[in-house]
Amino acid sequence: MINLYITPSCASCRKAKAWFEEQGLEYKEINIFKEELTLDEFKAIIRMTEDGTSEIISERSKAFQELGLDIEDLSITELYGVVRDNPSILKRPIIMDEKRLQVGFNDEEIRSFLPRKVREYEVRRLLDLAN
């Protein structure tokens, strides 16, 4: 199952939702302002990142700046508490399934959530068009 962590006012979140609906892919929408991330969900997201917390925490956001924190000084549990209490410091959308994580909306990268057969078909179709 694809989890889509969003906020309603986020334009990139709306684009991601629309893309999944256009593709006919099932997803679970999780509004991070209404539903707290669990510690297990947070750890799963962190495990999937390539760059650690910098990939999911918006350190330039006003909300983060007001906290005056140094993420490097926090344990995962402490950081989780900060995110739980201040979900607006997360970059959005966070799109995740069992194998992939994408932060933000990117037209090309989001295609990785398509089933393999669909991606293979598209590659063959593009190759045929090129010939």
Side-chain angles (χ1 to χ4, degrees), residues 20-86:
F20 281 107
E21 288 167 9
E22 287 169 14
Q23 302 304 318
L25 296 174
E26 290 186 33
Y27 63 91
K28 178 181 177 189
E29 179 180 326
I30 301 151
N31 179 338
I32 61 171
F33 287 161
K34 289 186 176 181
E35 299 176 54
E36 280 184 8
L37 282 177
T38 67
L39 180 57
D40 287 339
E41 287 174 314
F42 184 69
K43 286 179 178 179
I45 291 168
I46 293 288
R47 274 193 300 272
M48 298 282 285
T49 65
E50 292 179 14
D51 300 323
T53 57
S54 65
E55 194 170 332
I56 63 165
I57 304 291
S58 179
E59 294 183 32
R60 293 185 298 186
S61 71
K62 182 179 177 182
F64 183 83
Q65 295 294 318
E66 288 175 353
L67 293 171
L69 297 173
D70 183 354
I71 288 181
E72 302 302 318
D73 292 338
L74 302 176
S75 69
I76 291 293
T77 304
E78 291 169 329
L79 181 58
Y80 165 71
V82 171
V83 168
R84 183 195 60 227
D85 296 341
N86 305 278

